[in-house]
PDB file of all heavy atoms in Angstrom:
ATOM      1  N   LEU A   9     111.047  32.628 123.658  1.00 97.00           N
ATOM      2  CA  LEU A   9     110.995  33.659 124.634  1.00 97.00           C
ATOM      3  C   LEU A   9     110.870  35.065 124.011  1.00 97.00           C
ATOM      4  O   LEU A   9     111.566  35.465 123.081  1.00 97.00           O
ATOM      5  CB  LEU A   9     112.258  33.526 125.477  1.00 97.00           C
ATOM      6  CG  LEU A   9     112.366  32.436 126.491  1.00 97.00           C
ATOM      7  CD1 LEU A   9     113.698  32.614 127.250  1.00 97.00           C
ATOM      8  CD2 LEU A   9     111.324  32.711 127.525  1.00 97.00           C
ATOM      9  N   GLY A  10     109.899  35.747 124.630  1.00 97.00           N
ATOM     10  CA  GLY A  10     109.642  37.098 124.220  1.00 97.00           C
ATOM     11  C   GLY A  10     109.185  37.990 125.352  1.00 97.00           C
ATOM     12  O   GLY A  10     108.829  37.422 126.430  1.00 97.00           O
ATOM     13  N   TRP A  11     109.235  39.300 125.200  1.00 98.00           N
ATOM     14  CA  TRP A  11     108.918  40.245 126.279  1.00 98.00           C
ATOM     15  C   TRP A  11     107.730  41.163 125.794  1.00 98.00           C
ATOM     16  O   TRP A  11     107.914  41.713 124.623  1.00 98.00           O
ATOM     17  CB  TRP A  11     110.162  41.037 126.771  1.00 98.00           C
ATOM     18  CG  TRP A  11     111.055  40.188 127.417  1.00 98.00           C
ATOM     19  CD1 TRP A  11     111.244  40.088 128.795  1.00 98.00           C
ATOM     20  CD2 TRP A  11     112.176  39.466 126.922  1.00 98.00           C
ATOM     21  NE1 TRP A  11     112.266  39.130 129.158  1.00 98.00           N
ATOM     22  CE2 TRP A  11     112.860  38.787 127.982  1.00 98.00           C
ATOM     23  CE3 TRP A  11     112.457  39.050 125.617  1.00 98.00           C
ATOM     24  CZ2 TRP A  11     113.897  37.862 127.718  1.00 98.00           C
ATOM     25  CZ3 TRP A  11     113.544  38.214 125.362  1.00 98.00           C
ATOM     26  CH2 TRP A  11     114.290  37.543 126.386  1.00 98.00           C
ATOM     27  N   ARG A  12     106.731  41.179 126.595  1.00 98.00           N
ATOM     28  CA  ARG A  12     105.661  42.160 126.229  1.00 98.00           C
ATOM     29  C   ARG A  12     106.076  43.555 126.073  1.00 98.00           C
ATOM     30  O   ARG A  12     106.777  43.973 127.025  1.00 98.00           O
ATOM     31  CB  ARG A  12     104.416  42.026 127.322  1.00 98.00           C
ATOM     32  CG  ARG A  12     103.135  42.505 126.698  1.00 98.00           C
ATOM     33  CD  ARG A  12     102.100  42.451 127.749  1.00 98.00           C
ATOM     34  NE  ARG A  12     102.272  43.393 128.864  1.00 98.00           N
ATOM     35  CZ  ARG A  12     102.243  43.040 130.028  1.00 98.00           C
ATOM     36  NH1 ARG A  12     101.893  41.807 130.344  1.00 98.00           N
ATOM     37  NH2 ARG A  12     102.511  44.034 131.087  1.00 98.00           N
ATOM     38  N   VAL A  13     105.640  44.254 125.040  1.00 97.00           N
ATOM     39  CA  VAL A  13     105.994  45.647 124.873  1.00 97.00           C
ATOM     40  C   VAL A  13     104.660  46.355 125.334  1.00 97.00           C
ATOM     41  O   VAL A  13     103.495  46.124 124.853  1.00 97.00           O
ATOM     42  CB  VAL A  13     106.088  45.978 123.401  1.00 97.00           C
ATOM     43  CG1 VAL A  13     106.442  47.458 123.203  1.00 97.00           C
ATOM     44  CG2 VAL A  13     107.377  45.119 122.869  1.00 97.00           C
ATOM     45  N   GLY A  14     104.760  47.247 126.213  1.00 95.00           N
ATOM     46  CA  GLY A  14     103.772  48.047 126.763  1.00 95.00           C
ATOM     47  C   GLY A  14     102.646  47.276 127.518  1.00 95.00           C
ATOM     48  O   GLY A  14     103.001  46.168 128.031  1.00 95.00           O
ATOM     49  N   ASN A  15     101.438  47.686 127.511  1.00 94.00           N
ATOM     50  CA  ASN A  15     100.363  47.040 128.309  1.00 94.00           C
ATOM     51  C   ASN A  15      99.785  45.890 127.529  1.00 94.00           C
ATOM     52  O   ASN A  15      99.762  45.759 126.423  1.00 94.00           O
ATOM     53  CB  ASN A  15      99.242  48.041 128.551  1.00 94.00           C
ATOM     54  CG  ASN A  15      99.816  49.328 129.403  1.00 94.00           C
ATOM     55  OD1 ASN A  15     100.662  49.037 130.409  1.00 94.00           O
ATOM     56  ND2 ASN A  15      99.282  50.442 129.213  1.00 94.00           N
ATOM     57  N   ALA A  16      99.267  44.869 128.304  1.00 94.00           N
ATOM     58  CA  ALA A  16      98.587  43.833 127.816  1.00 94.00           C
ATOM     59  C   ALA A  16      97.372  44.255 127.012  1.00 94.00           C
ATOM     60  O   ALA A  16      96.514  45.233 127.453  1.00 94.00           O
ATOM     61  CB  ALA A  16      98.083  42.756 128.880  1.00 94.00           C
ATOM     62  N   GLY A  17      96.957  43.659 125.952  1.00 93.00           N
ATOM     63  CA  GLY A  17      95.766  43.995 125.140  1.00 93.00           C
ATOM     64  C   GLY A  17      95.929  45.105 124.166  1.00 93.00           C
ATOM     65  O   GLY A  17      94.922  45.532 123.515  1.00 93.00           O
ATOM     66  N   GLU A  18      97.092  45.789 124.089  1.00 93.00           N
ATOM     67  CA  GLU A  18      97.206  46.930 123.300  1.00 93.00           C
ATOM     68  C   GLU A  18      98.105  46.595 122.047  1.00 93.00           C
ATOM     69  O   GLU A  18      98.536  47.597 121.390  1.00 93.00           O
ATOM     70  CB  GLU A  18      97.836  48.137 124.069  1.00 93.00           C
ATOM     71  CG  GLU A  18      96.983  48.567 125.252  1.00 93.00           C
ATOM     72  CD  GLU A  18      97.571  49.679 126.010  1.00 93.00           C
ATOM     73  OE1 GLU A  18      98.781  50.123 125.736  1.00 93.00           O
ATOM     74  OE2 GLU A  18      96.879  50.283 126.914  1.00 93.00           O
ATOM     75  N   GLY A  19      98.316  45.295 121.750  1.00 93.00           N
ATOM     76  CA  GLY A  19      99.278  45.039 120.808  1.00 93.00           C
ATOM     77  C   GLY A  19      98.924  45.526 119.361  1.00 93.00           C
ATOM     78  O   GLY A  19      99.811  46.071 118.596  1.00 93.00           O
ATOM     79  N   LEU A  20      97.570  45.391 119.038  1.00 89.00           N
ATOM     80  CA  LEU A  20      97.175  45.817 117.645  1.00 89.00           C
ATOM     81  C   LEU A  20      97.413  47.366 117.562  1.00 89.00           C
ATOM     82  O   LEU A  20      97.834  47.888 116.424  1.00 89.00           O
ATOM     83  CB  LEU A  20      95.754  45.491 117.251  1.00 89.00           C
ATOM     84  CG  LEU A  20      95.396  45.226 115.783  1.00 89.00           C
ATOM     85  CD1 LEU A  20      96.451  44.328 115.108  1.00 89.00           C
ATOM     86  CD2 LEU A  20      94.025  44.674 115.622  1.00 89.00           C
ATOM     87  N   ALA A  21      96.915  48.111 118.575  1.00 90.00           N
ATOM     88  CA  ALA A  21      97.031  49.601 118.453  1.00 90.00           C
ATOM     89  C   ALA A  21      98.533  49.992 118.272  1.00 90.00           C
ATOM     90  O   ALA A  21      98.915  50.890 117.621  1.00 90.00           O
ATOM     91  CB  ALA A  21      96.573  50.127 119.777  1.00 90.00           C
ATOM     92  N   GLN A  22      99.391  49.320 119.118  1.00 91.00           N
ATOM     93  CA  GLN A  22     100.841  49.556 119.065  1.00 91.00           C
ATOM     94  C   GLN A  22     101.427  49.203 117.622  1.00 91.00           C
ATOM     95  O   GLN A  22     102.264  50.001 117.119  1.00 91.00           O
ATOM     96  CB  GLN A  22     101.649  48.786 120.146  1.00 91.00           C
ATOM     97  CG  GLN A  22     101.295  49.218 121.524  1.00 91.00           C
ATOM     98  CD  GLN A  22     101.798  48.097 122.474  1.00 91.00           C
ATOM     99  OE1 GLN A  22     102.099  47.022 122.198  1.00 91.00           O
ATOM    100  NE2 GLN A  22     101.849  48.674 123.777  1.00 91.00           N
ATOM    101  N   MET A  23     100.975  48.065 117.170  1.00 87.00           N
ATOM    102  CA  MET A  23     101.517  47.614 115.828  1.00 87.00           C
ATOM    103  C   MET A  23     101.195  48.545 114.692  1.00 87.00           C
ATOM    104  O   MET A  23     101.861  48.623 113.773  1.00 87.00           O
ATOM    105  CB  MET A  23     101.165  46.126 115.582  1.00 87.00           C
ATOM    106  CG  MET A  23     101.772  45.672 114.222  1.00 87.00           C
ATOM    107  SD  MET A  23     103.535  45.710 114.192  1.00 87.00           S
ATOM    108  CE  MET A  23     104.009  44.248 115.186  1.00 87.00           C
ATOM    109  N   PHE A  24     100.028  49.269 114.793  1.00 83.00           N
ATOM    110  CA  PHE A  24      99.599  50.209 113.820  1.00 83.00           C
ATOM    111  C   PHE A  24     100.806  51.315 113.679  1.00 83.00           C
ATOM    112  O   PHE A  24     100.800  51.915 112.549  1.00 83.00           O
ATOM    113  CB  PHE A  24      98.334  50.834 114.210  1.00 83.00           C
ATOM    114  CG  PHE A  24      97.147  50.119 113.429  1.00 83.00           C
ATOM    115  CD1 PHE A  24      96.266  49.329 114.207  1.00 83.00           C
ATOM    116  CD2 PHE A  24      96.951  50.211 112.125  1.00 83.00           C
ATOM    117  CE1 PHE A  24      95.207  48.684 113.519  1.00 83.00           C
ATOM    118  CE2 PHE A  24      95.888  49.650 111.398  1.00 83.00           C
ATOM    119  CZ  PHE A  24      95.070  48.773 112.172  1.00 83.00           C
ATOM    120  N   HIS A  25     101.481  51.591 114.751  1.00 80.00           N
ATOM    121  CA  HIS A  25     102.524  52.508 114.679  1.00 80.00           C
ATOM    122  C   HIS A  25     103.490  52.070 113.533  1.00 80.00           C
ATOM    123  O   HIS A  25     103.873  52.863 112.705  1.00 80.00           O
ATOM    124  CB  HIS A  25     103.233  52.681 116.001  1.00 80.00           C
ATOM    125  CG  HIS A  25     104.293  53.719 116.128  1.00 80.00           C
ATOM    126  ND1 HIS A  25     105.597  53.531 115.613  1.00 80.00           N
ATOM    127  CD2 HIS A  25     104.196  54.967 116.603  1.00 80.00           C
ATOM    128  CE1 HIS A  25     106.190  54.692 115.840  1.00 80.00           C
ATOM    129  NE2 HIS A  25     105.464  55.570 116.544  1.00 80.00           N
ATOM    130  N   MET A  26     103.929  50.796 113.620  1.00 79.00           N
ATOM    131  CA  MET A  26     104.870  50.192 112.612  1.00 79.00           C
ATOM    132  C   MET A  26     104.151  50.093 111.329  1.00 79.00           C
ATOM    133  O   MET A  26     104.728  50.216 110.289  1.00 79.00           O
ATOM    134  CB  MET A  26     105.522  48.943 113.221  1.00 79.00           C
ATOM    135  CG  MET A  26     106.557  48.358 112.201  1.00 79.00           C
ATOM    136  SD  MET A  26     107.258  46.906 112.987  1.00 79.00           S
ATOM    137  CE  MET A  26     108.522  46.557 111.584  1.00 79.00           C
ATOM    138  N   MET A  27     102.940  49.554 111.344  1.00 82.00           N
ATOM    139  CA  MET A  27     102.196  49.278 110.162  1.00 82.00           C
ATOM    140  C   MET A  27     102.050  50.536 109.222  1.00 82.00           C
ATOM    141  O   MET A  27     102.228  50.653 108.123  1.00 82.00           O
ATOM    142  CB  MET A  27     100.801  48.632 110.498  1.00 82.00           C
ATOM    143  CG  MET A  27     100.881  47.268 110.894  1.00 82.00           C
ATOM    144  SD  MET A  27      99.321  46.607 111.626  1.00 82.00           S
ATOM    145  CE  MET A  27      98.327  46.721 110.272  1.00 82.00           C
ATOM    146  N   ASN A  28     101.684  51.773 109.872  1.00 83.00           N
ATOM    147  CA  ASN A  28     101.573  52.883 109.234  1.00 83.00           C
ATOM    148  C   ASN A  28     102.863  53.365 108.586  1.00 83.00           C
ATOM    149  O   ASN A  28     102.930  53.953 107.574  1.00 83.00           O
ATOM    150  CB  ASN A  28     100.889  53.946 110.119  1.00 83.00           C
ATOM    151  CG  ASN A  28      99.431  53.851 110.290  1.00 83.00           C
ATOM    152  OD1 ASN A  28      98.721  53.126 109.499  1.00 83.00           O
ATOM    153  ND2 ASN A  28      98.836  54.204 111.455  1.00 83.00           N
ATOM    154  N   GLU A  29     103.941  53.151 109.415  1.00 85.00           N
ATOM    155  CA  GLU A  29     105.224  53.585 108.826  1.00 85.00           C
ATOM    156  C   GLU A  29     105.516  52.765 107.700  1.00 85.00           C
ATOM    157  O   GLU A  29     106.103  53.098 106.667  1.00 85.00           O
ATOM    158  CB  GLU A  29     106.304  53.442 109.919  1.00 85.00           C
ATOM    159  CG  GLU A  29     107.665  53.917 109.429  1.00 85.00           C
ATOM    160  CD  GLU A  29     108.640  54.137 110.571  1.00 85.00           C
ATOM    161  OE1 GLU A  29     108.198  54.328 111.695  1.00 85.00           O
ATOM    162  OE2 GLU A  29     109.911  54.267 110.282  1.00 85.00           O
ATOM    163  N   ALA A  30     105.282  51.320 107.802  1.00 86.00           N
ATOM    164  CA  ALA A  30     105.576  50.357 106.691  1.00 86.00           C
ATOM    165  C   ALA A  30     104.721  50.803 105.482  1.00 86.00           C
ATOM    166  O   ALA A  30     105.128  50.686 104.338  1.00 86.00           O
ATOM    167  CB  ALA A  30     105.270  49.010 107.121  1.00 86.00           C
ATOM    168  N   ARG A  31     103.491  51.202 105.675  1.00 89.00           N
ATOM    169  CA  ARG A  31     102.609  51.634 104.575  1.00 89.00           C
ATOM    170  C   ARG A  31     103.232  52.777 103.883  1.00 89.00           C
ATOM    171  O   ARG A  31     103.179  52.959 102.628  1.00 89.00           O
ATOM    172  CB  ARG A  31     101.256  51.914 105.000  1.00 89.00           C
ATOM    173  CG  ARG A  31     100.477  50.758 105.471  1.00 89.00           C
ATOM    174  CD  ARG A  31      99.221  50.940 106.249  1.00 89.00           C
ATOM    175  NE  ARG A  31      98.424  49.655 106.469  1.00 89.00           N
ATOM    176  CZ  ARG A  31      97.424  49.570 107.309  1.00 89.00           C
ATOM    177  NH1 ARG A  31      96.843  50.665 107.899  1.00 89.00           N
ATOM    178  NH2 ARG A  31      96.842  48.298 107.491  1.00 89.00           N
ATOM    179  N   THR A  32     103.669  53.872 104.739  1.00 93.00           N
ATOM    180  CA  THR A  32     104.413  54.934 104.032  1.00 93.00           C
ATOM    181  C   THR A  32     105.585  54.504 103.235  1.00 93.00           C
ATOM    182  O   THR A  32     105.908  55.005 102.097  1.00 93.00           O
ATOM    183  CB  THR A  32     104.692  56.003 105.038  1.00 93.00           C
ATOM    184  OG1 THR A  32     103.523  56.419 105.700  1.00 93.00           O
ATOM    185  CG2 THR A  32     105.484  57.228 104.344  1.00 93.00           C
TER     186      THR A  32
END
């Protein structure tokens, strides 16, 4: 079970927020 974060179809754009922080 999981819950969608934000709008459908925007997952990769949202995940870049975390990915860029992880890259830093």
Side-chain angles (χ1 to χ4, degrees):
L9 280 177
W11 290 265
R12 194 183 71 225
V13 179
N15 297 323
E18 296 181 359
L20 204 54
Q22 293 167 342
M23 185 54 85
F24 265 105
H25 186 282
M26 183 173 182
M27 288 167 62
N28 284 335
E29 181 162 346
R31 287 168 176 173
T32 300

